[in-house]
Amino acid sequence: SRTDDDDVDDDARTRPVARVPHRTDPSFRLSLLAQEEKRKAVFNEVVAKLTDTCFEKCITYAPGSSFSRTESSCLTNCALRYLESGQVVLGRLQNMGGG
């Protein structure tokens, strides 16, 4: 006589089932924390690179207590362009991955 188990191969019975961690599982929370720390590190890296790039481009003299109007405008424009170019690159990478 046949049972429902006859349709399942022997390997399927002994193969471990992949466990999906629940959001309350400490390993899941640790994974989320690690992802967040990675995002913070990437953000800090971008800010540091932006600061170095724009400061080198825009500040021609040792800064005093404030930036000149020209320096301030240059820093603003440089930061905007830097962030915009990063968005363009990110968009293209996402299109490459999804297309």
Side-chain angles (χ1 to χ4, degrees):
S1 110
R2 264 177 66 95
T3 65
D4 290 338
D5 287 342
D6 290 340
D7 292 337
V8 179
D9 63 13
D10 288 334
D11 289 340
R13 287 189 194 115
T14 59
R15 216 176 300 139
V17 175
R19 189 171 79 83
V20 177
H22 189 266
R23 64 182 178 173
T24 59
D25 187 338
S27 65
F28 179 75
R29 294 191 314 208
L30 187 59
S31 174
L32 289 178
L33 182 60
Q35 290 173 14
E36 182 62 26
E37 289 302 314
K38 175 69 174 169
R39 281 192 288 272
K40 287 178 185 178
V42 169
F43 175 80
N44 288 336
E45 192 176 307
V46 168
V47 169
K49 181 67 174 165
L50 181 149
T51 301
D52 289 345
T53 299
C54 294
F55 197 86
E56 187 175 307
K57 175 181 166 76
C58 298
I59 308 304
T60 55
Y61 301 101
S65 59
S66 63
F67 297 120
S68 70
R69 228 182 256 161
T70 303
E71 290 169 331
S72 182
S73 177
C74 179
L75 288 168
T76 299
N77 290 330
C78 179
L80 288 172
R81 298 303 167 260
Y82 188 90
L83 295 173
E84 287 171 358
S85 65
Q87 288 296 324
V88 169
V89 169
L90 181 61
R92 288 186 181 166
L93 288 174
Q94 288 174 338
N95 287 339
M96 288 171 53

